[in-house]
């Protein structure tokens, strides 16, 4: 009896279902964690889709640059291999590669996209690509088509080309032709939705054949190619470089090709450099021309004005919150309605109202002239500048300062101030030494809320800020909706996000985020 009891006591403790108690507890904890995860899963999924994913996409767009290399692969490769003297326009090989790439891109109607991308770095390239997309189909390269088909009518037959391009040895011997023929197949099938067997071979394919046979000859066993290789020496030729120059003389400008080469990598720091008034060039990282250095100024102006707006909200909001917290509840609730009333009005309406109030012939100037504070011919300029932006945004963001302050002040027992006064403190000493320190967490919460909202505002600065009162967010909105330079907009947004995070970290180190309260 004693041995059996000892064995039972020395064994694992069992649950009611006969399982070891420790295993049952672990199982119950896992089930509890899974239930908790399932409860927060919808919110987590919402945050990932609407917050984390857009930020990740923004960071990716700020460095992504695949369009240049994907659209002009042969041109980039030719420049990397053959263009050594960047002081002069490249040679015929580069222009031939440009011919093939633009012809294919134009058929897929994507040549304007790469032109727009490069136009962000050098003005005028977009129109150059648009002209070239229309012009490459009218090049005089049909001279090669005519000479090859006159040499042997078989060159006009798709079956001839198909047989040649199915031969790996021919493709290896004539790489430029193989690449051009593949592009023609791609254009015919995917861009035009046609049957290659029923279509005429494009002139650029014959151009590639001529260039390959002229440069490399042919020593294989194909009789048709051997005959063509022997005859091309007597063919009349045409300069592709001159054909591009006929479209636009700018194609002879080496800076055009330098820009394409510099921005050909798949990922580029160019957007971030532009966002800090720098640029990527063949000589490395250099400063933007002085007339294009605007973004550092805008970042500085945004931070300065956001700080001023935040300070204005503190100065105006603290007395109001103090009054609301110390009035009888009935009166306090009535005044709180007035604080919340702006939320029931459209932001656009409130901003438009300030345009009416602040203009030189507006209500405020009329009152000042009537009261004799300013002369009629010296009315104040209160709009289309930083003053207008600060006044309008202070009014709009003031409730976001008052509410956290009021919430914290409501929790401060009034007996503390009365006790300080009973011990001989003056009204000011009681407020400053007893009441104010307890309201600091509300000031911190309001400052963070107002500053973060202010730094990203763009509607109000756009309407009342004019040339000197706009924020960096206005420039981001411009690049997203007007210039369509999403890469630069993403870089500006990423820098703005980084600046806010750094300021948040500094605030945490100085004040301590644990001291921020909403009540």
């Amino acid at each position: 009896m004693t041995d059996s009891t000892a064995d039972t006591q020395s064994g694992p403790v069992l649950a009611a279902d006969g399982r070891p108690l420790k295993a049952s507890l672990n199982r119950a904890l896992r089930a509890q964690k899974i239930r908790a995860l399932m409860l927060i899963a919808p919110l987590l999924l919402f945050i990932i889709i609407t917050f984390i994913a857009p930020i990740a996409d923004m960071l990716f767009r700020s460095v992504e640059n695949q369009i240049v290399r994907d659209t002009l692969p042969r041109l980039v490769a030719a420049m990397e291999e053959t263009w050594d003297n960047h002081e002069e326009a490249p040679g015929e090989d580069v222009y031939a590669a440009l011919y093939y790439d633009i012809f294919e891109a134009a058929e897929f109607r994507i040549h304007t996209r790469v032109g727009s991308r490069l136009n962000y770095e050098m003005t005028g390239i977009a129109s150059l690509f648009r002209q070239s997309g229309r012009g490459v189909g009218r090049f005089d390269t049909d001279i090669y088509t005519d000479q090859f088909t006159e040499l042997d009518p078989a060159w006009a037959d798709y079956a001839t080309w198909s047989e040649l391009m199915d031969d790996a040895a021919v493709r290896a011997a004539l790489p430029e032709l193989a690449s051009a023929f593949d592009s023609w197949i791609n254009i015919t099938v995917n861009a035009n939705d046609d049957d290659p067997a029923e279509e005429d071979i494009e002139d650029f394919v014959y151009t590639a054949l001529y260039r390959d046979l002229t440069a490399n000859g042919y020593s294989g066993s194909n009789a048709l190619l051997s005959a063509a290789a022997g005859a091309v020496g007597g063919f009349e030729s045409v300069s592709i470089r001159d054909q591009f120059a006929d479209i636009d003389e700018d194609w002879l400008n080496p800076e055009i090709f330098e820009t394409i080469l510099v921005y050909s990598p798949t990922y580029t720091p160019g957007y971030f450099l532009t966002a800090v008034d720098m640029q990527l060039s063949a000589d490395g990282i250099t400063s933007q021309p002085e007339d294009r250095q605007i973004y550092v100024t805008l970042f500085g102006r945004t931070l300065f004005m956001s700080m001023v707006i935040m300070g204005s909200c503190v100065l105006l909001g603290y007395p109001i919150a103090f009054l609301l917290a110390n009035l009888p509840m009935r009166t306090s609730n009535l005044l709180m309605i007035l604080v919340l009333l702006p939320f029931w009005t459209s932001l656009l309406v409130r901003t438009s109202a300030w345009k009416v109030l602040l203009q030189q012939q507006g209500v405020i100037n009329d009152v000042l002239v009537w009261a004799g504070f300013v002369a009629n011919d010296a009315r104040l300029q209160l709009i289309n500048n930083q003053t207008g932006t600060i006044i309008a945004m202070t009014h709009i963001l003031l409730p976001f300062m008052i509410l956290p302050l009021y919430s914290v002040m409501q929790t401060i027992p009034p007996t503390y101030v009365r006790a300080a006064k009973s011990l001989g403190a003056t009204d000011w000493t009681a407020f400053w030494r007893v009441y104010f320190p307890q309201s600091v967490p509300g000031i911190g919460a309001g400052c963070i809320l107002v500053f973060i909202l202010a730094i990203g505002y763009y509607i109000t600065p756009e309407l009342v800020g004019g040339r000197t009162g706009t924020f960096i967010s206005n420039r981001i909105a411009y690049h997203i909706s007007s210039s369509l330079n999403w890469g630069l907009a993403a870089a500006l947004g990423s820098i703005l996000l980084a600046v806010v995070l750094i300021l948040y970290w500094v605030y945490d180190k100085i004040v301590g985020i644990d001291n921020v309260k909403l009540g």
Side-chain angles (χ1 to χ4, degrees):
M1 183 71 176
T2 304
D3 293 341
S4 176
T5 303
D7 290 342
T8 302
Q9 291 176 347
S10 62
V13 180
L14 301 179
D17 59 357
R19 298 173 182 268
L21 182 60
K22 185 176 181 179
S24 295
L25 287 174
N26 289 336
R27 184 180 179 184
L29 287 173
R30 280 197 304 272
Q32 187 177 4
K33 290 178 180 178
I34 291 173
R35 283 196 298 271
L37 180 62
M38 294 301 293
L39 287 173
I40 68 168
L43 177 60
L44 181 62
L45 187 62
F46 177 79
I47 291 174
I48 290 174
I49 293 175
T50 63
F51 183 70
I52 297 177
I55 289 178
D57 181 66
M58 177 181 70
L59 293 173
F60 175 73
R61 285 181 180 274
S62 64
V63 296
E64 184 269 335
N65 191 51
Q66 297 174 353
I67 187 171
V68 177
R69 186 172 289 270
D70 288 351
T71 309
L72 307 171
R74 283 167 286 220
L75 173 61
V76 172
M79 286 193 295
E80 291 175 344
E81 293 173 5
T82 65
W83 191 33
D84 298 324
N85 184 4
H86 290 194
E87 298 296 325
E88 298 179 356
E92 189 73 8
D93 290 345
V94 171
Y95 284 97
L98 177 64
Y99 174 37
Y100 307 143
D101 284 337
I102 288 191
F103 193 101
E104 185 173 7
E107 290 293 325
F108 282 94
R109 295 177 175 80
I110 58 174
H111 62 294
T112 54
R113 298 181 190 174
V114 69
S116 297
R117 165 65 189 96
L118 294 169
N119 199 70
Y120 300 146
E121 314 303 335
M122 185 176 182
T123 304
I125 293 186
S127 61
L128 198 59
F129 271 80
R130 280 195 299 270
Q131 294 174 34
S132 301
R134 296 189 297 265
V136 289
R138 298 192 292 268
F139 277 7
D140 294 335
T141 49
D142 57 348
I143 191 175
Y144 298 121
T145 305
D146 296 340
Q147 291 177 104
F148 275 109
T149 53
E150 288 174 6
L151 177 67
D152 194 321
W155 283 115
D157 189 357
Y158 170 76
T160 301
W161 290 94
S162 179
E163 181 183 349
L164 289 174
M165 292 297 101
D166 286 340
D167 190 334
V170 172
R171 295 182 68 90
L174 306 173
E176 191 170 324
L177 171 62
S179 175
F181 183 80
D182 291 344
S183 292
W184 177 73
I185 292 293
N186 185 34
I187 292 168
T188 305
V189 175
N190 297 317
N192 301 330
D193 198 22
D194 291 327
D195 183 358
E198 299 176 357
E199 299 297 317
D200 293 332
I201 310 296
E202 288 288 353
D203 296 336
F204 74 90
V205 180
Y206 289 97
T207 303
L209 173 61
Y210 171 81
R211 285 177 47 78
D212 259 341
L213 292 178
T214 302
N216 306 318
Y218 179 73
S219 58
S221 58
N222 186 282
L224 187 64
L225 281 174
S226 297
V232 291
F235 277 12
E236 183 181 350
S237 63
V238 62
S239 170
I240 300 177
R241 172 174 171 165
D242 292 344
Q243 298 294 304
F244 276 103
D246 289 341
I247 292 177
D248 196 309
E249 288 289 336
D250 282 345
W251 278 121
L252 300 180
N253 182 1
E255 291 183 10
I256 298 289
F257 293 93
E258 248 185 19
T259 302
I260 296 173
L261 187 59
V262 167
Y263 287 93
S264 62
T266 304
Y267 300 100
T268 177
Y271 292 124
F272 277 102
L273 291 173
T274 302
V276 292
D277 293 336
M278 307 291 284
Q279 64 181 347
L280 193 62
S281 66
D283 299 325
I285 298 173
T286 59
S287 297
Q288 289 276 9
E290 191 172 344
D291 60 341
R292 298 183 63 183
Q293 295 181 13
I294 60 172
Y295 295 111
V296 172
T297 302
L298 279 174
F299 274 115
R301 180 194 300 167
T302 299
L303 293 174
F304 168 74
M305 293 179 64
S306 297
M307 291 285 188
V308 172
I309 292 166
M310 181 188 71
S312 301
C313 287
V314 171
L315 293 176
L316 295 174
Y318 195 95
I320 297 173
F322 179 83
L323 181 66
L324 292 174
N326 290 279
L327 283 174
M329 186 59 67
R330 181 183 180 87
T331 307
S332 176
N333 289 339
L334 182 62
L335 294 178
M336 181 58 73
I337 293 175
L338 299 179
V339 173
L340 298 176
L341 191 61
F343 289 124
W344 304 343
T345 309
S346 166
L347 172 63
L348 193 59
V349 171
R350 281 179 280 163
T351 304
S352 299
W354 277 111
K355 287 179 69 71
V356 175
L357 291 171
L358 295 175
Q359 59 186 311
Q360 285 192 306
Q361 302 300 323
V363 176
I364 294 177
N365 267 300
D366 285 345
V367 171
L368 292 175
V369 171
W370 173 80
F373 291 111
V374 298
N376 189 45
D377 58 351
R379 289 173 175 255
L380 301 179
Q381 182 69 36
L382 299 176
I383 200 170
N384 295 329
N385 52 25
Q386 294 186 15
T387 303
T389 300
I390 291 171
I391 292 173
M393 287 188 62
T394 298
H395 165 251
I396 290 168
L397 297 178
L398 189 58
F400 295 99
M401 179 65 72
I402 294 174
L403 293 176
L405 282 169
Y406 172 73
S407 179
V408 170
M409 289 176 178
Q410 279 281 80
T411 65
I412 301 175
T415 54
Y416 289 1
V417 175
R418 289 200 295 267
K421 290 181 179 180
S422 69
L423 293 173
T426 62
D427 289 345
W428 171 252
T429 302
F431 168 78
W432 186 249
R433 299 288 296 276
V434 176
Y435 191 88
F436 181 78
Q438 296 180 82
S439 67
V440 168
I443 296 175
C447 286
I448 289 178
L449 191 58
V450 169
F451 180 80
I452 291 178
L453 288 172
I455 206 171
Y457 252 62
Y458 72 94
I459 294 178
T460 302
E462 184 71 24
L463 293 177
V464 301
R467 187 177 60 85
T468 61
T470 53
F471 286 5
I472 192 66
S473 51
N474 296 100
R475 205 66 187 171
I476 294 173
Y478 165 76
H479 286 307
I480 288 176
S481 60
S482 298
S483 73
L484 302 182
N485 190 350
W486 288 11
L488 180 54
L492 292 169
S494 300
I495 293 174
L496 188 62
L497 174 63
V499 168
V500 171
L501 292 176
I502 291 171
L503 291 175
Y504 184 84
W505 176 80
V506 171
Y507 181 90
D508 182 39
K509 290 298 181 182
I510 296 175
V511 178
I513 201 64
D514 294 336
N515 295 324
V516 174
K517 295 180 181 178
L518 294 173

